[in-house]
């Protein structure tokens, strides 16, 4: 008995010590679910059923199957795809095509129910014929305007090599791009194909609407395959590599198709909306601009002299400023508007609409706000008067808030923008002064002051800015007077142009693209265009007076010489104008001249855009559980080896 008692006491002590020394928590499951069977069998042939059931070794979840699961050939009737317990059931609604390989690409949509471990890149395959087609076609889809990867766009094949197929027939086999813009079209039969991309909007899998983003190429592809070897990395944990192994695999070609996607210019013209968010203006939005502007006839006002018109560059947005304050205070404007719109045949025809526009800020509400502000001001002045403090006897008139927008760092090529909040009725150029400081004395400096096209309240000041010089920009009282009689207050702003030693010069020497006019753009870290230059006959572009910093460079082939990047047009067999990125950042330092050769076609365009500028990043793999298990192993003082499944 004593011996048994001693053994029991010893066991309790050991268990107690074990509890004290063990960290809280346990191991986390980092294995994805596994397929253990299916009906019909995976890669089965002569299949006649349209219902597919796939069984797993644990409870699973299916993330947004409508968006994430792709059936090929494409299904005109949306399949029913459901997850229930440890299985997924797919019911195809379209009639099965004879002698055809079907693929159901789940991508990363399947994960286990508890820890969200994804079953990555899983594709179920079967055939209605005697054999399984195994070829693959892979590549990338980029936005033609800025080489951004296009995520979620459908990419498909035609064995009909006629250009009309994209308009008249649904794609034969399809895939969808991931976060890197990468696609893999599986289950392809031997033959010759063309590759297209289509951002589907009406589920007919053909290009039927101008609003759909598309990409096309006239290159024909013959899929092939061959043996190859790749390196697979086996990770010990999230930081340490355990081994690198050589894994044989079948390499499918082509795997480097690059498609440039674009949306055609929306030439269909229709009225989008009209609004009056502010009492002093109404805005009319069209889907597409036209030089022939609408004709407005007022019912409760005289429209002949009622407006100051401000148009967007493409004349698709029209802002009608109300000239008369009496009209501004009128809450409802009733009128007819005659304008051009596109009919069902694609022709511009005259359309007349009767409209009633109501101000979102009623006159009574604005009157109450002004009365309240006046009462508060009056009380404040009475209080000052009672306390024998200085006070105002006249209610102050709010001046016209003219903004001077000068660059934070002035260079010899800087332009200053000036903007009034409302249209200007009178500009007194005699009240605008620019002075330069020379040897502690101020002298008048010449400048050009001009109104910007189509915007009656925006101006630019251009001057011969001298390096290492101080300037004073000054506006007298009443320099600007708007259409409501409000005048600007005095404005004074100091400017300083840096010395030449504080700038850099960047020269790009281009090659690789002949007989095309090229526009080169200097970009900041957010991909914003800072300056642009058209290359000369020597194919070089030089940016002078560059402020030290990190820059990037983009170029586009301006085929029509209009200084604007232009999109493509499928019916006219016109690709979007080619865009190229210098593949690295450029560091510009003061006093340094940087000259860089650049063959714009040397690298494939899917590898040109610097990573720092790419906004559409690849989809992140789910490594959270593996990291947690690695941390758990460190707590226990043991080695954690991540399981590696070599496919």
């Amino acid at each position: 008995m004593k011996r048994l008692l001693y053994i029991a006491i010893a066991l309790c002590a050991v268990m107690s010590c074990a509890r004290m020394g063990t960290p809280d928590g346990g191991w986390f499951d980092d294995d994805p679910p596994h397929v253990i069977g299916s009906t019909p069998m995976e890669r089965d042939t002569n299949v006649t059923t349209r219902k597919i059931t796939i069984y797993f070794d644990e409870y699973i979840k299916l993330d947004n199957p409508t968006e994430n699961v792709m059936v090929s050939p494409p299904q005109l009737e949306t399949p029913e795809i459901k997850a229930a317990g440890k299985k997924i059931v797919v019911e195809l609604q379209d009639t099965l095509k004879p002698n055809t390989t079907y693929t159901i690409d789940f991508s990363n949509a399947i994960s286990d129910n508890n820890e969200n471990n994804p079953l990555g890149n899983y594709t179920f395959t079967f055939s209605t014929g005697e054999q399984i087609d195994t070829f693959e076609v892979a590549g990338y889809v980029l936005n033609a305007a800025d080489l951004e990867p296009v995520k979620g766009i459908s990419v498909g094949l035609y064995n009909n090599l006629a250009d009309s197929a994209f308009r008249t027939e649904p794609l034969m086999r399809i895939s969808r791009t991931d976060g890197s813009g990468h696609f893999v079209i599986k289950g392809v039969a031997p033959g010759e194909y063309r590759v297209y991309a289509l951002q589907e909007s009406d589920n007919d899998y053909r290009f039927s609407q101008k609003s759909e983003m598309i990409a096309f190429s006239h290159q024909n592809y013959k899929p092939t395959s061959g043996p190859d070897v790749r390196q697979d990395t086996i990770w010990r944990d999230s930081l340490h590599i355990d081994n690198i192994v050589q894994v044989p695999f079948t390499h499918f070609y082509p795997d480097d198709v690059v498609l440039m996607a674009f949306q055609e210019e929306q030439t269909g013209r229709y009225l989008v909306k009209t609004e009056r968010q502010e009492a002093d203006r109404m805005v009319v939005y069209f889907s597409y601009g036209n030089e022939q502007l609408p004709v407005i006839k007022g019912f409760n006002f005289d429209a002949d002299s009622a407006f100051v018109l401000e148009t967007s560059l493409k004349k698709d947005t029209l802002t009608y400023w109300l000239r008369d304050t009496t009209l501004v205070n009128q809450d409802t404007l009733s009128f007819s508007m005659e304008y051009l719109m596109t009919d069902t045949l694609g022709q511009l025809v005259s359309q007349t609409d009767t409209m009633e526009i109501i101000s979102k800020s009623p006159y009574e509400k604005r009157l109450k706000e002004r009365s309240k502000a006046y009462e508060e001001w009056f009380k404040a002045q009475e209080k000052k008067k009672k306390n024998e403090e200085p006070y105002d006897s006249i209610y102050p008139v709010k001046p016209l808030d003219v903004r001077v927008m000068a660059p934070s760092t002035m260079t010899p090529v800087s332009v200053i923008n000036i903007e009034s909040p409302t249209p200007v009725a009178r500009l007194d150029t005699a009240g605008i002064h620019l002075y330069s400081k020379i040897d502690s004395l101020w002298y008048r400096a010449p400048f050009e002051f001009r109104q910007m096209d189509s915007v009656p309240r925006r101006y630019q000041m251009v001057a011969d800015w001298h390096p290492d010089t101080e300037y004073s920009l000054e506006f007298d009282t009443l320099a600007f007077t708007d259409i409501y009689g409000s005048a600007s207050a005095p404005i004074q702003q100091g400017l300083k142009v840096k010395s030449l030693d504080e700038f850099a010069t960047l020269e790009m020497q281009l090659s690789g693209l002949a007989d095309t006019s090229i526009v080169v753009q200097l970009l900041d870290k957010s991909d914003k265009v800072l300056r642009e230059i058209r290359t000369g006959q020597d194919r070089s572009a030089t940016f002078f007076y560059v402020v030290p910093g990190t820059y990037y460079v983009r170029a586009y082939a301006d085929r029509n010489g209009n200084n604007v990047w232009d999109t493509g047009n499928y019916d006219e067999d016109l690709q979007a104008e080619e865009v190229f990125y210098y593949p690295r950042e450029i560091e510009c330092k003061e006093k340094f001249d940087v000259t860089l050769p650049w063959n714009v076609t040397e690298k494939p365009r899917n590898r040109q855009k610097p990573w720092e500028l790419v906004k559409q990043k690849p989809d992140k793999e789910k490594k959270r559980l593996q990291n947690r298990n690695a941390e758990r192993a460190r707590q226990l003082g043991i080695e954690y080896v991540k399981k590696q499944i070599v496919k």
Side-chain angles (χ1 to χ4, degrees), residues 31-37 55-60 86-87 112:
D31 283 337
H34 297 286
V35 176
I36 58 174
Y55 300 96
F56 297 87
D57 62 347
E58 60 180 312
Y59 290 98
I60 54 94
K86 297 182 180 181
K87 67 181 180 181
D112 64 45

Side-chain angles (χ1 to χ4, degrees), residues 32 70 76 94 133 162 465 473 479 561:
M70 179 70 76
L76 299 181
D94 289 2
D133 297 320
W465 308 106
L473 175 59

Side-chain angles (χ1 to χ4, degrees), residues 47-51 71-79 91-100 102 126 128:
V47 173
T48 58
T49 180
R50 290 184 289 176
K51 183 176 180 179
V71 179
S72 186
Q75 305 294 290
L76 299 181
E77 291 290 332
T78 305
E91 294 191 51
L92 304 180
Q93 306 301 309
D94 289 2
T95 302
L96 295 178
K97 297 180 180 181
N99 300 313
T100 300
Y102 279 76
F126 68 90
T128 58

Side-chain angles (χ1 to χ4, degrees), residues 532-548:
E532 64 179 31
I533 300 174
R534 183 178 295 277
T535 58
Q537 293 182 347
D538 61 351
R539 289 296 191 197
S540 67
T542 304
F543 296 94
F544 296 101
Y545 312 118
V546 178
V547 178

